Amino acid sequence: MSSASSRRFSIGYALAPKKQQSFIQPSLVNLARDRAIDLIPVDSSRRLIDQGPFDCIIHKLSGPDWKDQLNRYTSANPNVPIIDPLDAIERLHNRISMLQVVSELEIPRSAASPATFGVPNQIVIFDSGTLSDPAASNGLKFPVIAKPLVADGSARSHKMSLVFNRDGLTRLKPPVVIQEFINHGGVIFKVYVVGDHVRCVKRRSLPDVTEENLGRSEVSVSFSQVSNMTMQDRSDDNYLEAMHLEEVEMPPLSFVAEIARGLRRAMKLHLFNFDVIRDVKVGNRYLIIDINYFPGYAKMPSYETVLTDFFCAIVNKKQIEGANSAPGETESSE
């Protein structure tokens, strides 16, 4: 942002209390303030249209009332960017539609980066009767991960389980997404996207499942129980030491960035992350298993700088577009 400009910019944020507590850290507020960006909380007890003025609004709220408030505000303030459009965000509230966009991406392979990507085989089950049908798994190989179809951030949407056999399917509560579990070396790559910025980090994940594990007495276990499972003696401290997470090779950055750009354009979103695993059987095959809107950015290294750069880019773009729309001229459509 130009130091010659004395104008300050206001970015309103509409976040649930828990999200606000984790995201709006003093370090972020202070850095943004130093760069002429004031982060202003949106008062949920008042109408959005009566608040401001804002140069941009970021949010992670949902529901009919909030949608109506955003529509009214946008009608009255068409030049204020809303990050992000609610219709685009809602696509990520369904675990089937969220990954469909991945299958639609076309990213050419190159000799420098021969990696490929996709999504695990998965199906959605809408009724209990179908779960007891032997054909319901539609060729999926066990184990599978069972996830609620709705991914709205609620406690229920996070209740997932690892299912080892067909008997375990009958205990699930539809609607549910059944996704083939792919052994991935116990490591997940979390790719954070903030506008044009892409950052990939690695985290420990579920351990691989061996043939011996498939013969265990349990038909399924919840994710909260996985840490207590005996897979690869996971409860032993030696398991974590043996993983040597720091030695795990990262995916090619150019490859990950290209996927991020494709997803950003296809979904019309600025703030999201996606979880990637690497198939241990095919070392250069990566699978996207989840996409989340406005994730826990505070866990991302240097998140304050990345988000402040993004805020500056948004308001600068707004300034430039406003300057290019001279009085008396008609803006041409894109």
Side-chain angles (χ1 to χ4, degrees):
M1 188 173 296
S2 172
S3 59
S5 174
S6 60
R7 186 191 161 188
R8 301 195 64 81
F9 298 87
S10 296
I11 294 186
Y13 60 87
L15 306 170
K18 186 176 180 181
K19 186 69 177 179
Q20 182 172 318
Q21 185 177 14
S22 65
F23 181 72
I24 305 296
Q25 297 288 328
S27 54
L28 173 64
V29 173
N30 294 335
L31 181 59
R33 183 185 297 126
D34 289 343
R35 298 182 63 182
I37 299 284
D38 296 317
L39 299 177
I40 310 297
V42 170
D43 186 346
S44 60
S45 67
R46 298 169 53 207
R47 297 192 311 167
L48 178 61
I49 200 170
D50 295 333
Q51 301 183 59
F54 299 119
D55 294 287
C56 172
I57 292 176
I58 62 172
H59 72 104
K60 191 178 183 181
L61 298 177
S62 59
D65 178 65
W66 178 242
K67 187 171 188 176
D68 181 62
Q69 290 210 48
L70 279 180
N71 288 338
R72 290 173 181 271
Y73 186 89
T74 300
S75 296
N77 303 274
N79 296 322
V80 176
I82 304 294
I83 308 297
D84 275 303
L86 198 54
D87 289 344
I89 296 172
E90 287 174 346
R91 180 174 188 171
L92 299 185
H93 290 172
N94 179 298
R95 285 199 164 90
I96 292 296
S97 64
M98 79 161 57
L99 294 184
Q100 283 177 341
V101 66
V102 178
S103 304
E104 299 165 3
L105 294 183
E106 294 184 6
I107 298 177
R109 296 178 66 178
S110 66
S113 180
T116 63
F117 72 96
V119 298
N121 293 329
Q122 61 179 19
I123 57 172
V124 59
I125 302 295
F126 290 101
D127 61 87
S128 299
T130 306
L131 286 171
S132 59
D133 183 353
S137 56
N138 198 29
L140 294 185
K141 297 178 181 178
F142 289 97
V144 295
I145 297 177
K147 307 178 179 182
L149 177 61
V150 176
D152 58 2
S154 65
R156 183 181 183 280
S157 71
H158 290 299
K159 289 186 177 180
M160 307 181 193
S161 59
L162 190 60
V163 181
F164 293 98
N165 51 49
R166 199 171 303 282
D167 288 341
L169 293 180
T170 62
R171 303 188 180 189
L172 302 176
K173 294 182 179 180
V176 62
V177 173
I178 310 297
Q179 188 180 82
E180 211 168 90
F181 179 81
I182 305 296
N183 282 338
H184 52 283
V187 177
I188 190 169
F189 303 100
K190 303 189 81 67
V191 182
Y192 294 92
V193 181
V194 183
D196 294 328
H197 184 89
V198 179
R199 177 72 59 87
C200 182
V201 300
K202 49 191 171 183
R203 298 281 186 266
R204 290 188 174 91
S205 178
L206 298 181
D208 290 347
V209 177
T210 65
E211 290 295 327
E212 181 183 24
N213 298 142
L214 285 175
R216 58 192 298 119
S217 58
E218 297 97 329
V219 294
S220 67
V221 291
S222 68
F223 274 26
S224 61
Q225 295 173 300
V226 170
S227 59
N228 297 321
M229 294 167 61
T230 57
M231 292 181 185
Q232 299 181 358
D233 201 17
R234 185 180 174 90
S235 60
D236 194 324
D237 289 340
N238 291 333
Y239 169 78
L240 297 180
E241 294 177 7
M243 282 188 64
H244 296 298
L245 188 63
E246 69 280 358
E247 298 176 9
V248 174
E249 183 182 357
M250 297 286 282
L253 181 58
S254 59
F255 171 71
V256 168
E258 194 66 31
I259 295 175
R261 279 191 290 269
L263 289 175
R264 194 179 75 237
R265 291 170 186 150
M267 298 189 301
K268 296 180 173 59
L269 295 174
H270 294 80
L271 302 174
F272 64 95
N273 80 340
F274 56 99
D275 295 339
V276 182
I277 59 174
R278 179 165 47 214
D279 189 339
V280 295
K281 291 184 179 179
V282 188
N284 63 347
R285 172 77 170 165
Y286 294 88
L287 299 165
I288 297 173
I289 58 174
D290 208 3
I291 305 176
N292 304 287
Y293 182 68
F294 210 139
Y297 283 117
K299 299 176 183 177
M300 181 180 73
S302 304
Y303 99 101
E304 301 93 339
T305 302
V306 173
L307 267 297
T308 300
D309 286 347
F310 172 70
F311 296 150
C312 290
I314 290 292
V315 295
N316 275 340
K317 180 181 178 182
K318 180 176 178 250
Q319 265 196 312
I320 293 171
E321 290 175 347
N324 290 339
S325 301
E329 292 183 359
T330 302
E331 292 186 53
S332 59
S333 58
E334 293 183 1

